Amino acid sequence: MRPACTATLLIDDDRVRVTRFDFLPGAETGWHRHGHDYVITAITDCPMLLEEPGGAMREVLVTAGTAYRRLEGVEHNVVCNGEAGMSFVEVELK
């Protein structure tokens, strides 16, 4: 069993939800499905192991200062796959 990441809610209003995620090495979000379109901005380099439905796994590196967006409906578990911790901010568009 992996440790859970720390999720800190920064803003939650009628338009957006902004959450900071901090991971120790090996920590995970736990399985979840995104109910909104969202944008991730990496605070640190984020070496991620993405566990996806059906048993698929992908390793990705989101470098510090970069961002990406995904559409509502993404389902996965995000695991810190590096030897250092990682942090990112997620903005969900309501």
Side-chain angles (χ1 to χ4, degrees):
M1 185 167 173
R2 299 177 182 122
C5 68
T6 301
T8 305
L9 186 62
L10 303 175
I11 299 171
D12 191 5
D13 62 24
D14 61 332
R15 301 194 63 186
V16 298
R17 179 181 302 126
V18 180
T19 309
R20 178 180 171 137
F21 289 88
D22 295 294
F23 295 73
L24 294 173
E28 67 181 355
T29 58
W31 279 94
H32 60 282
R33 181 184 181 278
H34 289 269
H36 303 283
D37 294 353
Y38 67 99
V39 176
I40 296 292
T41 302
I43 297 171
T44 66
D45 284 344
C46 295
M48 299 178 182
L49 173 64
L50 301 175
E51 298 177 336
E52 300 171 328
M57 289 192 273
R58 293 186 299 131
E59 292 184 17
V60 298
L61 174 62
V62 181
T63 56
T66 64
Y68 68 85
R69 70 176 181 90
R70 298 286 182 267
L71 299 176
E72 172 186 356
V74 171
E75 185 177 355
H76 58 196
N77 181 30
V78 177
V79 181
C80 179
N81 200 32
E83 297 196 17
M86 67 180 197
S87 298
F88 59 80
V89 172
E90 174 185 89
V91 178
E92 296 175 276
L93 307 172
K94 295 183 178 178

